[in-house]
Amino acid sequence: MAVDEIKEFDAELYDAMTGELSRQRKSIELIPSENFASLRVLEASGSVFTNKYSEGYPGKRYYGGNEFVDRAERLAIDRAKALFGVPHANVQPYSGSPANFAIYFSVCKPGDVIMGQNLTDGGHLTHGWKTSESGQIFKSVPYHVSAEGYIDIDEARRLAQENRPKLIWIGASAYPRALPLREFSEIADSVGAYLVADISHIAGLVVAGMHESPAKYAHIIMTTTQKTMRGPRGAIIMVTDKGLEKDPELADKIDKTVFPGMQGGPHDHTTAAMAVAFKEAMSQEFKDYAKQMILNSKALAEALKKHGFRLVTGGTDNHMMLVDLTNYGKGFGVFAQEALDQIGITVNKNTIPKDPSSPFYPSGIRIGSPAVTTRGMKEPEMEEIADIMSACIEEIKDSSLPSGKDERQAYIRDFKKRIGESARLRELGEKVIALCDRFPLYPGLEY
Ligand code: DSN
């Protein structure tokens, strides 16, 4: 997969592309929603399917010349149905957020009550957060996690009884434990709500049997395909048997909302890449990958705990964990993210339950194992990563977020300058590169 044409034609973009490839190769990627797609997936994403318009669905298109697109889309649909054990799949949503809005507009009307996990408790923006249209078009009644970080099922049950939502989300962006699917299905059924499982984070675990499947509990399942599924950037919406029992027209409603309700031509190159990723996800190799992802996540969690870090809920059942840094000070997640970035460990700052600070200056970081596991790293490397992270945090432990807004910005500017000059962080950065070099990424790929 050479990019010689770009190299010849556009030196500036070529420079950005080589920079990004080198960044990915030389850093430890711990953002739990990121991964490394296979060269096969990248080839399909960059294929001639980019050129085609195919509004409609296989066999029912508004444009000619779709016989090969139809084949690709049918492959993606059939493989998604087989992987997730569902009777219907729509593989056209451009991404997770538009997919979630397509679900809303298939089963809800503006002003209807919806329930989702609160954003600062680990939920997703589109599950009803106030700055998302989902929190403005619908009446959002969020549920929360307990002080220990587990979903507060009793609160969710009470809120559902009191508010009679039309739709309830189960699924999160920052939740390190198994989803209480059976409990949420009982809650949704008791008030006649649609239960929608947004499994964007855990889909790869679900298809490999490493997390319980929502297929028998939820009416609708949505997942993005680029996270633990290791596919292209896109999303799919599935209707379960339970969903069709509740509303035999549900699949049709979803399809009509996606197209022509909300989207025009599907991204056929992404559909093709999904087909490849789904075929990969059917393999024993993928099952082994998912198993190792969890072993690595647990090993990283244990190693961090040995270094004295507090993890929300005390650990993890899945591919991710939330590190609570409140003992270093309010908003310390900002410093941790910057300093780790400086040494080549990529994480994201994240709120922790009952965060004393704000989502922009949160007190924790969110980390996970999908990408490092794809690189081939195992439990011993998780311990090495925890050692490096601990040494990095130790180096910046005296940093503290001022309370005034202007002072904060000046302090963070100065902090970045200081970490850029730190000999200790430079030394840790060299360790990161040495570790990465032992696990080559895309060997043979030349930009
Ligand atoms: N941005 C994704 C994540 O990082 O979890 C969710 O949309």
Side-chain angles (χ1 to χ4, degrees), residues 31-34 95-97 122-126 172-174 198 200-201 224 226-227 233 319-320 348 350 366:
I31 294 176
S33 48
E34 296 189 13
S95 199
S97 298
H124 192 258
L125 270 174
T126 57
S173 286
D198 180 341
S200 297
H201 264 270
T224 50
Q226 71 274 18
K227 299 185 176 89
R233 305 195 79 82
H319 63 298
M320 74 152 81
N348 70 283
N350 214 92
R366 183 184 69 148

Short mmCIF file of all heavy atoms in Angstrom, two decimals, residues 31-34 95-97 122-126 172-174 198 200-201 224 226-227 233 319-320 348 350 366, ligand 1:
data_model
loop_
_atom_site.label_atom_id
_atom_site.label_comp_id
_atom_site.label_asym_id
_atom_site.label_seq_id
_atom_site.Cartn_x
_atom_site.Cartn_y
_atom_site.Cartn_z
N ILE A 31 -5.77 4.91 24.12
CA ILE A 31 -7.15 5.40 24.06
C ILE A 31 -8.04 4.20 23.71
O ILE A 31 -7.84 3.56 22.67
CB ILE A 31 -7.29 6.54 23.02
CG1 ILE A 31 -6.49 7.76 23.50
CG2 ILE A 31 -8.76 6.91 22.82
CD1 ILE A 31 -6.46 8.93 22.53
N PRO A 32 -9.00 3.86 24.59
CA PRO A 32 -9.70 2.58 24.40
C PRO A 32 -10.66 2.53 23.22
O PRO A 32 -11.16 1.46 22.88
CB PRO A 32 -10.45 2.39 25.72
CG PRO A 32 -10.51 3.71 26.36
CD PRO A 32 -9.38 4.54 25.83
N SER A 33 -10.92 3.68 22.60
CA SER A 33 -11.79 3.67 21.42
C SER A 33 -10.98 3.62 20.13
O SER A 33 -11.55 3.69 19.04
CB SER A 33 -12.69 4.91 21.43
OG SER A 33 -11.92 6.06 21.67
N GLU A 34 -9.65 3.51 20.25
CA GLU A 34 -8.83 3.48 19.03
C GLU A 34 -8.21 2.10 18.84
O GLU A 34 -8.10 1.31 19.78
CB GLU A 34 -7.75 4.58 19.12
CG GLU A 34 -8.39 5.95 19.14
CD GLU A 34 -7.40 7.10 19.00
OE1 GLU A 34 -6.24 6.86 18.64
OE2 GLU A 34 -7.82 8.23 19.26
N SER A 95 -21.58 7.14 10.97
CA SER A 95 -20.81 7.02 12.21
C SER A 95 -21.77 6.77 13.36
O SER A 95 -23.00 6.70 13.15
CB SER A 95 -20.01 8.32 12.42
OG SER A 95 -18.96 8.09 13.33
N GLY A 96 -21.25 6.66 14.57
CA GLY A 96 -22.10 6.31 15.71
C GLY A 96 -23.13 7.37 16.04
O GLY A 96 -24.29 7.05 16.33
N SER A 97 -22.74 8.64 16.01
CA SER A 97 -23.69 9.68 16.39
C SER A 97 -24.88 9.77 15.43
O SER A 97 -26.03 9.74 15.87
CB SER A 97 -22.99 11.04 16.52
OG SER A 97 -22.02 10.95 17.54
N GLY A 122 -19.88 8.50 32.45
CA GLY A 122 -19.36 7.52 31.49
C GLY A 122 -20.22 7.34 30.25
O GLY A 122 -19.85 6.60 29.34
N GLY A 123 -21.37 8.00 30.20
CA GLY A 123 -22.27 7.82 29.05
C GLY A 123 -21.78 8.56 27.81
O GLY A 123 -20.72 9.20 27.83
N HIS A 124 -22.57 8.47 26.75
CA HIS A 124 -22.18 9.13 25.50
C HIS A 124 -23.00 10.39 25.28
O HIS A 124 -24.17 10.45 25.65
CB HIS A 124 -22.36 8.16 24.31
CG HIS A 124 -21.72 8.68 23.06
ND1 HIS A 124 -22.45 9.27 22.04
CD2 HIS A 124 -20.43 8.73 22.69
CE1 HIS A 124 -21.60 9.64 21.08
NE2 HIS A 124 -20.37 9.32 21.45
N LEU A 125 -22.38 11.35 24.62
CA LEU A 125 -23.04 12.62 24.28
C LEU A 125 -24.44 12.43 23.71
O LEU A 125 -25.39 13.10 24.11
CB LEU A 125 -22.23 13.31 23.18
CG LEU A 125 -21.11 14.27 23.51
CD1 LEU A 125 -20.40 14.65 22.22
CD2 LEU A 125 -21.65 15.51 24.21
N THR A 126 -24.55 11.50 22.77
CA THR A 126 -25.82 11.34 22.04
C THR A 126 -26.88 10.59 22.84
O THR A 126 -27.97 10.35 22.34
CB THR A 126 -25.60 10.57 20.72
OG1 THR A 126 -24.99 9.32 21.04
CG2 THR A 126 -24.76 11.35 19.75
N ALA A 172 -21.96 2.54 27.04
CA ALA A 172 -21.25 3.72 27.52
C ALA A 172 -19.95 3.93 26.77
O ALA A 172 -19.51 3.07 26.01
CB ALA A 172 -20.98 3.54 29.01
N SER A 173 -19.35 5.10 27.04
CA SER A 173 -18.03 5.39 26.45
C SER A 173 -16.93 5.19 27.48
O SER A 173 -15.76 5.06 27.11
CB SER A 173 -17.96 6.85 25.99
OG SER A 173 -18.69 7.01 24.83
N ALA A 174 -17.30 5.26 28.74
CA ALA A 174 -16.26 5.16 29.79
C ALA A 174 -16.83 4.36 30.96
O ALA A 174 -17.15 4.91 32.01
CB ALA A 174 -15.83 6.55 30.24
N ASP A 198 -26.04 0.35 22.91
CA ASP A 198 -24.96 0.98 22.15
C ASP A 198 -23.67 0.30 22.59
O ASP A 198 -23.11 0.60 23.64
CB ASP A 198 -24.93 2.49 22.46
CG ASP A 198 -23.82 3.21 21.70
OD1 ASP A 198 -22.88 2.53 21.23
OD2 ASP A 198 -23.89 4.45 21.58
N SER A 200 -20.78 0.19 21.02
CA SER A 200 -19.64 0.65 20.22
C SER A 200 -18.30 0.25 20.84
O SER A 200 -17.37 -0.11 20.13
CB SER A 200 -19.68 2.16 20.08
OG SER A 200 -20.84 2.54 19.39
N HIS A 201 -18.21 0.35 22.15
CA HIS A 201 -16.92 0.03 22.79
C HIS A 201 -16.65 -1.46 22.87
O HIS A 201 -15.52 -1.90 22.72
CB HIS A 201 -16.86 0.65 24.19
CG HIS A 201 -16.14 1.97 24.16
ND1 HIS A 201 -14.79 2.07 24.35
CD2 HIS A 201 -16.59 3.21 23.92
CE1 HIS A 201 -14.43 3.33 24.23
NE2 HIS A 201 -15.51 4.06 23.96
N THR A 224 -20.39 1.18 16.52
CA THR A 224 -19.43 1.68 15.54
C THR A 224 -18.52 0.50 15.20
O THR A 224 -18.53 -0.52 15.89
CB THR A 224 -18.60 2.85 16.11
OG1 THR A 224 -18.08 2.47 17.38
CG2 THR A 224 -19.44 4.09 16.26
N GLN A 226 -15.03 0.84 14.31
CA GLN A 226 -13.58 1.09 14.32
C GLN A 226 -12.92 0.84 15.67
O GLN A 226 -11.72 0.98 15.79
CB GLN A 226 -13.29 2.54 13.90
CG GLN A 226 -13.69 3.62 14.91
CD GLN A 226 -15.14 4.06 14.77
OE1 GLN A 226 -15.94 3.35 14.17
NE2 GLN A 226 -15.49 5.21 15.32
N LYS A 227 -13.69 0.50 16.67
CA LYS A 227 -13.08 0.38 18.01
C LYS A 227 -12.61 -1.06 18.22
O LYS A 227 -11.70 -1.49 17.52
CB LYS A 227 -14.09 0.85 19.07
CG LYS A 227 -14.50 2.32 18.89
CD LYS A 227 -15.40 2.78 20.03
CE LYS A 227 -15.75 4.25 19.94
NZ LYS A 227 -16.96 4.53 19.14
N ARG A 233 -14.04 3.37 10.01
CA ARG A 233 -14.86 4.31 10.79
C ARG A 233 -16.26 4.34 10.22
O ARG A 233 -16.50 4.91 9.16
CB ARG A 233 -14.26 5.71 10.75
CG ARG A 233 -12.83 5.79 11.20
CD ARG A 233 -12.43 7.21 11.47
NE ARG A 233 -12.93 7.61 12.76
CZ ARG A 233 -12.34 7.32 13.92
NH1 ARG A 233 -11.22 6.65 13.94
NH2 ARG A 233 -12.87 7.74 15.04
N HIS A 319 -12.19 -3.98 28.18
CA HIS A 319 -10.95 -3.53 27.54
C HIS A 319 -10.46 -2.21 28.11
O HIS A 319 -9.49 -1.67 27.62
CB HIS A 319 -11.23 -3.36 26.05
CG HIS A 319 -12.27 -2.30 25.80
ND1 HIS A 319 -13.54 -2.41 26.29
CD2 HIS A 319 -12.19 -1.08 25.20
CE1 HIS A 319 -14.23 -1.32 25.98
NE2 HIS A 319 -13.43 -0.51 25.31
N MET A 320 -11.16 -1.64 29.08
CA MET A 320 -10.78 -0.28 29.52
C MET A 320 -10.83 -0.11 31.02
O MET A 320 -11.42 -0.92 31.74
CB MET A 320 -11.68 0.75 28.87
CG MET A 320 -13.07 0.80 29.47
SD MET A 320 -13.78 2.43 29.32
CE MET A 320 -14.36 2.36 27.64
N ASN A 348 -6.68 9.54 27.10
CA ASN A 348 -7.50 10.74 27.15
C ASN A 348 -7.97 11.06 28.56
O ASN A 348 -8.31 10.17 29.33
CB ASN A 348 -8.63 10.73 26.13
CG ASN A 348 -9.72 9.76 26.43
OD1 ASN A 348 -9.56 8.57 26.20
ND2 ASN A 348 -10.82 10.26 26.95
N ASN A 350 -10.38 12.22 31.36
CA ASN A 350 -11.78 11.81 31.46
C ASN A 350 -12.33 12.11 32.84
O ASN A 350 -11.59 12.03 33.83
CB ASN A 350 -11.86 10.28 31.23
CG ASN A 350 -13.12 9.88 30.51
OD1 ASN A 350 -13.12 9.80 29.29
ND2 ASN A 350 -14.20 9.66 31.23
N ARG A 366 -8.74 7.91 30.93
CA ARG A 366 -9.37 6.68 30.46
C ARG A 366 -8.36 5.95 29.59
O ARG A 366 -7.78 6.54 28.67
CB ARG A 366 -10.61 7.06 29.63
CG ARG A 366 -11.44 5.93 29.13
CD ARG A 366 -12.57 6.43 28.24
NE ARG A 366 -12.07 6.97 26.98
CZ ARG A 366 -12.72 6.92 25.82
NH1 ARG A 366 -13.92 6.38 25.76
NH2 ARG A 366 -12.21 7.43 24.73
N1 DSN B 1 -15.37 9.35 21.00
C1 DSN B 1 -15.73 8.00 21.31
C2 DSN B 1 -14.90 7.46 22.43
O1 DSN B 1 -13.75 7.85 22.48
O2 DSN B 1 -15.35 6.68 23.24
C3 DSN B 1 -17.12 7.93 21.62
O3 DSN B 1 -17.85 8.57 20.61
#
